[in-house]
Structure formats: C-alpha cells, structure tokens
Amino acid sequence: MPPLFFLSYSRDDAVDPYLDRFYHDLCAEVSIRGGLDLESVGFLDREQPTGAIWPRTTGAALGTCSVFVPVYSPHLFSSHTCGQEWHTFAIRAAAHQERQETTVEKPGGIVPVWWVPPVQEAPAVARYLQDTRDKFGPEYREFGLRYLLQLRANDGLYRNFLVRFSNEILKAAAAPPGPCEVPDLLAAPNAFAPAPDATPLPRQAGSTESAGPRQVTFVVAVGDRETMRVVRTVLGTYGHDWADWRPYHPACPDRVAVRAQGVATAQRMISYLTPADESLFVLLDRAEKRGEMVVLIVDPWSVELPVYETLLARLDRLNSHHSTVLVPWESVDSPNSSEGSRAHDKLYASLGNWMDAGDRLFREDIWSMDEFEKVLGQTLIEIRARILGRAEARRRVTETGPRTRPVLTLPKN
C-alpha cells in the first residue's frame, strides 16, 4: 500500500536518534488521527526489507505517496539525493495541479518540518512554500523541532506540535497528486542545484583541461498559456510559465524541460534551465569560451510571437559548434495542419540557415517524449564530439626553448 507521507532527510542527519523518534511518533499520531494502518503511514528509506533495491523502492514511494515531508536542516539543501527526491515529487504535484486547472502556480503537497533551522538561504524551489513556523510556537520557530525533543521541559510543546503537524499532513493528503512511475530516481535532476552564472569565467593561462563538456544549459522558447492564445486554439500543452510546457500532453504529462534535465543527468552532466531571451547570446558566448553546451528547445508555434521571431532571426546569423536546436511537434500530423504549416513557414523564415544545416544543428522530427529523449541523448553526444574534435592541443614552451620536436640520435661507435 502506498505510504501517506515520505520523509526526506539528509544522510548527515541519519545518525541523529531524535530524528528516528520523531518519525515513529509522527507515524503513530497520523495513524490514530487519520484512522490509518500504522504500517502504511510513512516511508523512511532506512526501514526497508533486506535485499531491497534502494533507488527502485524509494522511487516507487515518491511516485505514490500523498505528502512529501522534507526535514529542514543545515545539511538538507546541500544534499544531491534530497534534491532529486524533491524534484521527483514536485513534478507529480505540478502535473496534478495542471490537470485540475488550478490557479495556484506552484506544486502543493510539500509540508516541511524545521528540524534545525538552515544556515543558508533556501533554494528557489523552496522559497514559495508558506512559512508555517509561527503555528508551532516561538521555541520551534527559533530553534527547530530537535530542540523540543532535547529537553524534558519541552515535552508538552513537542506533543502539541505532533498533533498540529499531523493535522497539516492529513489536510495535505486530502488532495494527493496522481501516481506516476519513477523509472530511475538516480537520474532525476537535483532541484536544489544553483542557477548558472551568466558571467563568463576567464580561463587560466596554460590550462590543459580537455575532459570534454560537463555542463549543458537548456534554453526554452515557448510562451505561457495566456500568451499562446494569440497564435493557437489548442492550449492544453501550455502552463503558467515557460517551464510548464508539455508538448506531448496528454500522452505524456511531464514537462519537456524536466525530461531534458533527466537525459543530461543520465550522461553525468550538470544541467540548467532558462527561458529564451537576450541572455541566450551571453550563454552562447560563454559556451564557446568554456567548452560548455547549449540546447535550444523551441515550440514551433511560439515563433509566431514577435519576441521569439526576432530572437531566432538573430540566432540564425550565428554559427555555433557548441549548440543545437530541437523542435518538438505534438504529433506527426502537427506540421501538416493549417496552424502547423503556418508555424513551420515562420520557423524557416527565422531559422532557415540552421534548418538547412540538418541534423548537425537542427532537429524537428520529434513526435513523442520517447523520441525527444532519444534525439536529445544523441545530440549531447554529437555536440560533445564536435567540441572535442575542435579542441586545440596546447604545449608549453619557454621564451628561449625549442619550438620543434626534439630528435633523438644514437651515440657514435
């Protein structure tokens, strides 16, 4: 049976006996107040049967639980695994809200517990959450839940917190996101990863780094639902902003930007997401200087918007060996429809040079999410090979040193 809530904690906090006590106390309280089987209330990855395959069982729990409970501490937001867990649940919650056509822009179902207040600012994905610390008293707000467990004098405060927090979880579980399959938790992007610095970093003189590109930035050119009303009659694939675009909905409800990051992670690359704007050209310049990659993912109908038409026309005058353009179509028939034909003509008018270059720089025969992931995976390999093929071999010589290859001669007899 799916767990009601999933406890996400940093492995640096795993040795804390107070955390174990809180988890079991919370399970008991939620079980009693919700009339639920104690065994199916919570999920803690350390309490699994012997022989269980951790990524598979943990991914299954994230794909079916009703509430996600991150344990805020100084370690949480620096944990890559916790970032993957947050991401996996958040895309479920976001897809659920879009199916419900809610006006809330961010996913619900995430109920954090302040274990020990973090010393650093929370990442962007966590800042939208309502700060509920005032509900549980000044001691909890200032010192966190662990403090309430440490001192016997705080026992009453702790018991009061358990009751109130259990009700918060049950309230959030009343409208759970739909289940989804998590094929590979370890390939999920880290929701806590920082945004890329758009300022090019200078290379050190004499650098001999040649391990190939390790970073890719996905630039998404698409309008939000309201903007796309100007050029489209079918709006089910669009959301509240550019990151919500789901070109293969309803066959695949996932956002294309999220799947793109999953492909990059599978190739052990750091990836970032950004909307298409004037910063694209800063990214392209940085990519050339730092040996990074840029993949522009374009909604073909968005090219009818003047802002993207102008942006792509400017891009068409550039020649980049570090980037490519991918155009997902909703179906094989999309380019042949009246809307699609018009969009394709606009696309060629803006990006004709890239389109004529063929697979090396441009791909648009992408009719499903499976094909998108396959094409993107091949594209990342192709760009990496292209960059490595153009890498210059560097060799240090002194001001007065030899500039030709040394020749070895045998001693004379």
Side-chain angles (χ1 to χ4, degrees), residues 5 22-32 38 41-43 162:
F5 72 86
F22 164 63
Y23 171 74
H24 290 105
D25 287 348
L26 182 62
C27 286
E29 195 69 28
V30 170
S31 172
I32 292 170
L38 180 61
V41 169
F43 180 89
L162 275 179

Side-chain angles (χ1 to χ4, degrees), residues 6-273:
F6 181 104
L7 195 77
S8 177
Y9 64 95
S10 168
R11 298 302 176 267
D12 290 322
D13 295 321
V15 296
D16 191 342
Y18 292 114
L19 186 61
D20 282 336
R21 178 186 166 189
F22 164 63
Y23 171 74
H24 290 105
D25 287 348
L26 182 62
C27 286
E29 195 69 28
V30 170
S31 172
I32 292 170
R33 295 190 173 277
L36 303 170
D37 180 8
L38 180 61
E39 298 301 319
S40 64
V41 169
F43 180 89
L44 186 68
D45 63 359
R46 286 184 284 120
E47 297 191 347
Q48 299 190 57
T50 303
I53 301 176
W54 171 82
R56 186 178 303 168
T57 53
T58 303
L62 285 164
T64 56
C65 66
S66 299
V67 182
F68 182 75
V69 181
V71 179
Y72 280 21
S73 78
H75 303 296
L76 179 76
F77 296 123
S78 60
S79 168
H80 183 82
T81 301
C82 290
Q84 291 176 309
E85 292 172 350
W86 185 302
H87 163 85
T88 301
F89 183 85
I91 60 172
R92 281 183 58 207
H96 170 75
Q97 290 195 334
E98 289 174 0
R99 286 194 294 269
Q100 301 298 316
E101 296 186 354
T102 177
T103 57
V104 180
E105 294 190 7
K106 297 297 182 180
I110 301 178
V111 183
V113 56
W114 289 80
W115 186 245
V116 177
V119 293
Q120 75 271 40
E121 184 182 19
V125 294
R127 291 175 199 155
Y128 68 85
L129 294 179
Q130 181 182 4
D131 189 345
T132 60
R133 283 177 291 174
D134 286 332
K135 290 185 178 182
F136 308 114
E139 293 86 359
Y140 174 81
R141 178 177 183 83
E142 184 173 359
F143 302 111
L145 181 61
R146 191 176 190 275
Y147 172 73
L148 303 187
L149 279 159
Q150 284 178 291
L151 302 179
R152 287 187 178 181
N154 292 333
D155 189 64
L157 297 174
Y158 173 64
R159 296 296 169 186
N160 183 275
F161 169 85
L162 275 179
V163 172
R164 294 175 179 272
F165 193 74
S166 297
N167 287 336
E168 292 291 321
I169 290 179
L170 291 168
K171 186 190 305 182
C180 76
E181 183 180 359
V182 182
D184 188 358
L185 175 62
L186 298 181
N190 176 7
F192 304 151
D197 180 5
T199 304
L201 297 178
R203 281 184 175 269
Q204 295 182 350
S207 172
T208 58
E209 181 180 352
S210 61
R214 299 177 181 179
Q215 176 175 311
V216 57
T217 299
F218 296 110
V219 182
V220 184
V222 65
D224 60 32
R225 186 177 298 155
E226 290 304 312
T227 303
M228 295 306 297
R229 290 184 188 276
V230 178
V231 296
R232 292 217 64 188
T233 56
V234 179
L235 300 169
T237 61
Y238 304 102
H240 298 287
D241 58 32
W242 61 272
D244 294 328
W245 180 37
R246 301 172 297 159
Y248 304 114
H249 177 76
C252 178
D254 290 348
R255 293 171 290 171
V256 71
V258 171
R259 287 295 193 98
Q261 285 197 297
V263 173
T265 302
Q267 295 196 19
R268 299 183 180 277
M269 298 191 68
I270 298 172
S271 64
Y272 301 101
L273 296 173

